[in-house]
Amino acid sequence: MRSFSSILVTGGAGFIGSNFIRHVFRHADFSGKIVNFDALTYAGNAESLADVARDFPDRYVFVHADIRDGEAVRKALKEHGCDAIIHFAAESHVDRSIASPDDFVQTNIVGTFRLLEEARALGPRLKLFHHVSTDEVFGSLGETGFFSETTPYAPHSPYSASKAGSDHLVRAYRDTYGLPVTVTNCSNNYGPYQFPEKLIPLMTLNALEGKDLPVYGEGLNVRDWLHVEDHCEAIWTVATRARLGETYCVGGRNEMRNIDVVERICALVDKFAPPLPSGAPRRSLVKHVTDRLGHDRRYAIDCSKLERELGWKPAHDAASGFEDTVRWYLSNPEWVSSVRTGAYRTWIERNYASR
Ligand code: NAD
Ligand code: DAU
């Protein structure tokens, strides 16, 4: 088992990164320090880790900086004696990549390159560079079959192409410079602290407020949904126990059509929130809208390598996982309104100005 004394986590103020940092502090066998290195784009919210900052003041550090800034990365690695990097930071939303791909190339490709260069400069002090990636690099499946570690890359959106580029760079640094890397490619995550542009929080909050629920096309595209905590545990398992150089696919064996996801969310919001003024069930808010350009039809993951070699399996089942998630968004209106209005930036200035 690999152990680390100080981990640089990039993108730790985002959805998965913040859940990961909390998971490691609260549930993993880890007594070191975590340096959350995040540029705080629209998707980053340092307030998502207010409990961690409060409970682990000597072991949690927040650094407000950009992975494209090599000097800032170098300074953080040196100042905090980091011996591992776990890389989440990315532009992550497919629709934004279609509207405006520039930031995706800049952060996901150039930013990853910059980080790899700084990782390489650490030499033998670096025990691990773990790269968090996506199943979207594999493209789209038909009615049958699964993505696995041997599936050829065939990305379709600017987002997935930029993630594919970063995956290739990471493996090139392994093969060329012997960088100690591991990679995970995961399916769709759901859970708390996800920016409400993604399907599940968007539909939950729109349903709560009686707004239209914009389903792309017929809603028949299929995604495999995994609870974010199960993804975090998979990353920790790979980071600490996988052979260096290996890649693992991570998934929930939980394929659902988008329309079924949306209808399930509607039923949960009907159950836990006050009824709409009209008394109509929330599924009546579904509005089929123009399809996403290049919309991948189906994702599904064969995660048997991770299960077989490292004994990982998801702890959450979809029924209770979806219910807990919908209830989390309904019972955390302060977090929701803070990320929607950008008010959390004031919180950052108050709490981090002097660090
Ligand atoms: P997110 O958009 O919620 O968070 C991204 C974080 O990265 C934010 O905190 C943002 O401020 C930060 N960031 C962006 N650009 C940066 C830069 N240039 N420098 C420093 N920080 C920067 O994303 P997420 O959903 O938490 O995804 C995290 C990672 O996991 C991404 O690499 C994504 O490709 C991958 N992934 C996501 C999913 C999913 O379902 N969300 C599934 C598989 C893989
Ligand atoms: O598969 C992993 C990927 O999952 C990650 O790499 C990405 O970072 C993450 O954003 C997610 O990508 P998707 O495009 O699958 O997620 P999104 O929540 O945007 O959409 C899920 C499905 O729902 C997709 O088929 C598009 C559809 N959709 C989405 C939105 C936002 C709608 O029908 N209506 C919507 O308003």
Side-chain angles (χ1 to χ4, degrees), residues 10-19 36-46 63-69 87-93 103 106-108 111 131-136 159 163 166 184-190 193-195 197-198 224-226 228 231 235 250 345:
T10 71
F15 165 47
I16 307 176
S18 62
N19 277 284
N36 177 2
F37 188 101
D38 197 298
L40 298 178
T41 66
Y42 78 95
N45 180 1
V63 175
H64 184 190
D66 196 303
I67 56 167
R68 289 168 294 177
D69 179 350
H87 178 34
F88 292 88
E91 287 295 335
S92 70
H93 192 45
D103 286 345
Q106 289 307 322
T107 282
N108 300 0
H131 180 56
V132 180
S133 193
T134 170
D135 60 356
E136 299 203 9
Y159 163 69
K163 289 296 291 187
S166 65
T184 43
N185 294 91
C186 187
S187 62
N188 286 61
N189 286 208
Y190 67 90
Y193 302 104
Q194 187 170 33
F195 193 81
E197 64 189 348
K198 306 277 166 50
D224 167 32
W225 292 96
L226 178 70
V228 64
H231 184 194
I235 292 168
V250 188
R345 296 197 180 277

Side-chain angles (χ1 to χ4, degrees), residues 249-261:
C249 282
V250 188
R253 299 188 190 282
N254 178 34
E255 288 180 54
M256 291 178 73
R257 301 183 315 172
N258 291 339
I259 189 68
D260 298 329
V261 171

Side-chain angles (χ1 to χ4, degrees), residues 8-316:
L8 188 91
V9 172
T10 71
F15 165 47
I16 307 176
S18 62
N19 277 284
F20 177 78
I21 291 174
R22 180 175 297 99
H23 180 78
V24 171
F25 275 124
R26 298 214 184 278
H27 303 294
D29 181 13
F30 175 69
S31 55
K33 188 198 245 187
I34 291 185
V35 182
N36 177 2
F37 188 101
D38 197 298
L40 298 178
T41 66
Y42 78 95
N45 180 1
E47 198 180 346
S48 298
L49 284 167
D51 60 319
V52 167
R54 184 194 61 226
D55 294 348
F56 301 92
D58 303 328
R59 295 174 54 208
Y60 173 73
V61 181
F62 178 71
V63 175
H64 184 190
D66 196 303
I67 56 167
R68 289 168 294 177
D69 179 350
E71 213 176 300
V73 174
R74 202 171 316 138
K75 183 165 176 278
L77 290 170
K78 185 161 178 238
E79 204 168 300
H80 301 289
C82 298
D83 53 4
I85 298 173
I86 302 192
H87 178 34
F88 292 88
E91 287 295 335
S92 70
H93 192 45
V94 175
D95 293 324
R96 284 182 191 256
S97 85
I98 294 166
S100 176
D102 204 307
D103 286 345
F104 288 74
V105 173
Q106 289 307 322
T107 282
N108 300 0
I109 302 180
V110 179
T112 300
F113 160 68
R114 190 48 62 206
L115 198 61
L116 285 164
E117 279 290 279
E118 296 306 326
R120 178 160 83 96
L122 282 183
R125 203 174 93 208
L126 184 76
K127 291 183 179 165
L128 181 79
F129 184 106
H130 179 79
H131 180 56
V132 180
S133 193
T134 170
D135 60 356
E136 299 203 9
V137 296
F138 301 122
S140 185
L141 292 165
E143 293 301 308
T144 57
F146 297 91
F147 299 135
S148 77
E149 292 79 6
T150 55
T151 306
Y153 275 36
H156 293 137
S157 70
Y159 163 69
S160 53
S162 68
K163 289 296 291 187
S166 65
D167 291 13
H168 289 317
L169 275 171
V170 169
R171 295 195 183 100
Y173 272 61
R174 171 198 64 190
D175 297 342
T176 309
Y177 306 113
L179 204 75
V181 312
T182 49
V183 178
T184 43
N185 294 91
C186 187
S187 62
N188 286 61
N189 286 208
Y190 67 90
Y193 302 104
Q194 187 170 33
F195 193 81
E197 64 189 348
K198 306 277 166 50
L199 185 73
I200 290 186
L202 177 77
M203 295 296 165
T204 303
L205 297 171
N206 279 14
L208 175 69
E209 292 161 0
K211 294 184 182 157
D212 284 348
L213 307 177
V215 171
Y216 300 160
E218 295 304 307
L220 301 179
N221 302 63
V222 172
R223 297 291 181 265
D224 167 32
W225 292 96
L226 178 70
H227 195 286
V228 64
E229 283 169 10
D230 290 322
H231 184 194
C232 293
E233 178 55 24
I235 292 168
W236 185 249
T237 300
V238 170
T240 53
R241 297 188 26 227
R243 262 198 325 275
L244 291 174
E246 289 289 325
T247 291
Y248 288 87
C249 282
V250 188
R253 299 188 190 282
N254 178 34
E255 288 180 54
M256 291 178 73
R257 301 183 315 172
N258 291 339
I259 189 68
D260 298 329
V261 171
V262 173
E263 290 197 348
R264 176 160 327 172
I265 290 169
C266 288
L268 288 166
V269 179
D270 282 338
K271 183 168 164 194
F272 295 114
L276 292 173
S278 66
R282 274 156 168 113
R283 68 181 144 70
S284 63
L285 300 169
V286 167
K287 190 163 176 224
H288 291 274
V289 298
T290 314
D291 209 350
R292 176 184 275 177
L293 295 176
H295 197 173
D296 287 334
R297 185 67 176 182
R298 174 173 166 260
Y299 302 149
I301 288 271
D302 171 3
C303 53
S304 53
K305 179 180 172 189
L306 181 58
E307 293 170 330
R308 194 179 56 248
E309 292 186 3
L310 302 179
W312 171 87
K313 61 175 180 343
H316 295 264

